[in-house]
Amino acid sequence: MADLPTLLLASLNPESRKQAEQNLSGLSTQPGFLTHLLRLVLEPSQDRAVRLSGSIYLKNITKLRWEEDVQPLAEQDKAALRAELVPAMLALSAPADKAIRAQVAESVSLIAELDFPVKWENLIDQLVASLSMTDYNVNVGVLETAHSIFKQWRAHVRSDQLFTEINFVLSKFMDPFMQLFRQTALLLLTKPSPNPALTSPKENYALLAQAMVLLVDTYYDFTCQDLPPAIEDSHEEFFAPGTGWFQAFLLWDPAEIKSDPDDTTPSLTSQIKTGILEIAELFIKLYPEQLQKSPAVETLVQSVWSLIGSNKLPGVGDDALVSQSLGFISTAIRSGYYKSLFSARETISSLVQGVVVPNVALREHDVEQFEDDPLEFIRLDLAVSATGIDLATRRQAAADVLRALVGSGYDAEATEIVGSWINTGLSEYASNKEENWKAKDSAVYLLTAVATRGSTTQHGVTSTNTLVDVVKFFSDHVFQDLQATSGTVHPILQVDAIRFLYTFRNQLTKPQLLSVLPLLGRHLRSDNYVTYTYAAITIDRILSIKHGNQLLFAQADIHDSALELIDALLTRIETARTPEKVAENDHLMKCAMRIIVTARQTLTPGYERILIRLVTILGVISKNPSNPYFDQYIFESISGLMRFVVAGSPTTLPTFEQALFGPFTIILQQDIDQYIPYVFQVLAQMLELHRGGSVPPEYRGLLPFLLTPAMWQQKGSIPGLVRLLKAFLSLDHAQMAASGQVASVLAVAQQRLIPSKLNDAWGIELLQSVVLNVKPADLQQYLKPIFLSLLTRMHANKTDKYVYLFAKFMLYTLAINVEGLNPDFIIKTIEEIQPQLWYQLLTNFIIPQAPKFPAKERKLAVVGITRLLCHSTLMLQEPSVRAWSATYSALGKLFSEPHLFDSKSDETSDVAITAIDFEEQAAGYQAAYSRLAASETSEADPLAYVQNPLQYLQQELEKLSAKYGQQVQALISAADGGRIG
């Protein structure tokens, strides 16, 4: 391990990164690697870059491999690392080590999520023992670590297991936490200082404030699920008007840690106040009765007013505090508990005038960001209002106060008061359009806010304030800016007009939307970054509108404009100079993808040019993949183009293959791991399009490469690889059996997939394809080892999911209609492993599992059991006959909900396409499987030979009764629930 520092440095260099990561991966399997790596991170004499790289590599191992079950980390190595992590955090408590400490803290958090408290019982004891009454560097390290563990509770669903963990923590951590909170609060708030050694110089005072930020965060963690008795008992101490800690901190403004007004990062004071208001908002939502014991909320609202009223905190560094303050007010209004506080007309008026209007107005910073950092402007402008790390902008938080008023019964007053501000803004603009464009911007934003009752990211506004005529406002005031040529109005007003369309797209009719599409198309060629990006976002969202389950726009609607729109978008993308810049704006690529999957066959005349341009862009960005969303959308575009063009003109398939095989080969050879999962899916899509024909030689040449162990290392590649192998098995099973490649496919399933809790479902899917496609004569030699490997996994690592998968595979082999593969063939193979084993599997796994099958798998279960009961002579002999009646009863349970067998299929050609939406999905590299929705085709149904499962059962039972008569009748009579049907 002596060359570990060299490898860690090499992993930072793009040219040597790939090789270094492979070497590090090899080293990481050696005993003692984890603790060796941690000690290297702690070694002050090491190069800082090595230490930081080591801390990141340690975090990645804990993230990706801590529970790996194919090449597992040794338990003794994991235990050794757990023992050293908290001391390591304390050793890194110096301010200079903050970045390294943050990575180690994340490792602690990731491991704790999996191992605490069962395998890491002493974690909290270690943290508590490390707290100090005098050394706040250490306290900050301990609190950071503790918060990184406890904050995960915020996102958890309530469960006994969660509350057991929380109570375990509270029993050990609550008292020291309270003690440290009180001491730290007194040191920060008391003048003169009770302990000058801890409060001076300024750096020490700032360290106390940093600890208080973490203490407030921890208070939120402790109350995010339930109210602990210690916190309930000390409620007055924290919340009491005038005397509570929270009240004192909201009014606290110490000179020692005042930050520069131009600083864009929140000051420690601002962070503490933001955290307190997050707690107050949480209490209104979860524990309103606690707050109503005293006028706590009324006092907090007063404090918020004195903090942010009349725009007292205009700096960017205070954005989070102002947004959270406004969020707190919105929640208080929506709660309905404080009607007396907000219902007076003058209160609403002063709220609008003093808080809403000043925070809706654009600041110089916003205008500069629009010009200098347009992507960040767009990201914030589209951000969903949320507390926590990704706070809404001031404008959104102020708008939400209006929405809260409108939605809480104050719509008439709010609409009237805001209406006068809107009219004032529009009049100001009309008097001097050059100078007063910001007044119109505020007016449009206020109208948008007051008109909105309900909205979602995906659908825009879903319900409006009936007192506002959105369409009239659009035609009177907004359409003119949408129609204006570039340069004649301020670009922000053009963006406002496009955003208005984006926001209220559901309130406009299809003809209205069709009439504005050409204008949006024109804006794609604007010189302004935000203008053309917003135009792309809006076109994408308009084309995604669905009424019921049907897309509103079809290929005929954009037949004439599709090629022109795609040309404008790709031209924009192509003008960038570097791979990073090309991939920077994923909104453009997403819009191109949306047009491709909407226009479909109408692109056939120009598809070759589009394909060449997409492949060229892919070649540029593959030099340095930097944006996972862009990657997803470009592969969706290629896949969607092929799907629809080939469906209409099958002779175009070779053109796609010629264009894609070269770039895909380079991606595989250069091991560009971000793209490999996509490549496998598109290759599978192309091979599936050869159904009914033979496999072209270039695909056959790939197969040995696909079966090498290295190909299966990357988790994200596995679904695409399985799909590709299934396509090979479907088309080329005879050749694969003759060349021994079926054995290689089975080796992958048995050694790599079935043993893994993460990938066992993919293993079963691959085995099902082998059983379906390979002739029983070729399959016979492999069947017994297949069952053995499945039973080995059952014995070694049984999970509920695996028991279901095992039962599903058994019933699949029974259900498929393959000549020579009958139930007795399966039973005999299993009996060769061990006599009477089939009876045990049937009674312990298949009978209990079958009735639990989900709706989409019920037909499989019914047909499998029907064939087992009716086509097997061994099921009528000892010992299996003893389970015949119980198996029939399981069938009865499956038929107890006949509506689940309705053959109405939602597998229309649109299902996959309408699934292409990633607003709420983190597209990710490596660990995550990035599914290509456009590439998915509906598979041939192996059970299509059974139209009506109940009729099939009755018909097969008749045949069986004709042969075995009384025995069958007696067995049916003995079944629980009696005769089916």
Side-chain angles (χ1 to χ4, degrees), residues 263-267 270 312-323 394:
D263 196 348
T264 57
T265 53
S267 67
S270 186
K312 289 195 186 80
L313 296 174
V316 178
D318 286 315
D319 279 5
L321 173 56
V322 173
S323 297
R394 288 174 181 242

Side-chain angles (χ1 to χ4, degrees), residues 587-822:
H587 302 292
L588 299 177
M589 196 70 245
K590 186 180 185 191
C591 183
M593 172 204 80
R594 184 73 58 195
I595 293 162
I596 287 168
V597 300
T598 306
R600 304 190 174 192
Q601 277 91 354
T602 60
L603 295 175
T604 304
Y607 86 92
E608 277 190 79
R609 179 85 190 106
I610 297 170
L611 179 62
I612 290 163
R613 292 174 80 177
L614 289 171
V615 169
T616 307
I617 292 166
L618 183 62
V620 173
I621 62 172
S622 65
K623 293 187 175 73
N624 187 18
S626 56
N627 182 350
Y629 291 105
F630 191 96
D631 301 340
Q632 178 89 34
Y633 301 138
I634 191 167
F635 277 101
E636 291 281 10
S637 298
I638 291 168
S639 174
L641 188 67
M642 174 163 57
R643 173 181 180 148
F644 294 115
V645 171
V646 174
S649 312
T651 54
T652 58
L653 180 57
T655 310
F656 282 95
E657 290 174 329
Q658 284 155 21
L660 296 172
F661 249 93
F664 284 4
T665 304
I666 293 167
I667 287 167
L668 293 172
Q669 283 171 347
Q670 293 184 354
D671 197 19
I672 303 172
D673 50 12
Q674 296 91 329
Y675 293 173
I676 288 173
Y678 297 122
V679 166
F680 288 146
Q681 290 174 82
V682 179
L683 284 170
Q685 181 187 1
M686 291 195 291
L687 186 52
E688 285 161 3
L689 288 167
H690 284 280
R691 263 190 202 142
S694 58
V695 176
E698 48 281 13
Y699 290 94
R700 276 203 179 134
L702 265 179
L703 193 51
F705 172 70
L706 301 178
L707 293 168
T708 57
M711 274 294 95
W712 297 80
Q713 293 293 329
Q714 189 188 339
K715 293 187 183 82
S717 297
I718 287 171
L721 271 169
V722 167
R723 182 176 163 196
L724 186 49
L725 288 183
K726 283 170 65 181
F728 272 109
L729 285 162
S730 164
L731 288 165
D732 210 25
H733 49 84
Q735 169 66 26
M736 288 174 73
S739 62
Q741 286 169 322
V742 168
S744 304
V745 170
L746 289 171
V748 164
Q750 291 166 292
Q751 294 162 26
R752 180 88 212 168
L753 304 179
I754 296 298
S756 162
K757 280 191 284 192
L758 197 64
N759 296 314
D760 46 15
W762 299 112
I764 295 291
E765 201 168 304
L766 193 52
L767 290 179
Q768 286 178 183
S769 182
V770 170
V771 173
L772 177 68
N773 292 298
V774 178
K775 287 194 171 75
D778 295 327
L779 183 65
Q780 192 162 6
Q781 59 179 316
Y782 303 120
L783 256 186
K784 187 173 160 187
I786 288 174
F787 289 130
L788 262 171
S789 66
L790 293 173
L791 291 166
T792 304
R793 160 67 204 272
M794 182 73 82
H795 181 69
N797 196 354
K798 185 167 89 170
T799 63
D800 290 347
K801 173 188 158 202
Y802 183 73
V803 171
Y804 159 71
L805 288 170
F806 177 81
K808 179 183 166 187
F809 177 72
M810 299 306 295
L811 287 169
Y812 183 90
T813 59
L814 295 167
I816 53 177
N817 192 19
V818 174
E819 195 180 332
L821 189 71
N822 56 47

Side-chain angles (χ1 to χ4, degrees), residues 16 21 34 39 54 69 86 114 193 219 239 262 327 405 407 473 526 539 541 548 663 678 690 766:
S16 54
E21 284 177 352
L34 294 173
R39 284 166 196 162
D69 39 19
V86 173
L114 298 167
S193 169
Y219 189 101
F239 278 94
D262 295 332
L405 288 167
F473 187 85
S526 162
I539 291 169
R541 292 291 82 201
Y678 297 122
H690 284 280
L766 193 52

Side-chain angles (χ1 to χ4, degrees), residues 433-454:
K433 294 187 176 183
E434 190 75 27
E435 289 292 315
N436 296 342
W437 62 268
K438 282 186 186 174
K440 182 170 184 182
D441 168 78
S442 290
V444 173
Y445 204 91
L446 285 168
L447 185 285
T448 305
V450 82
T452 304
R453 281 190 92 94

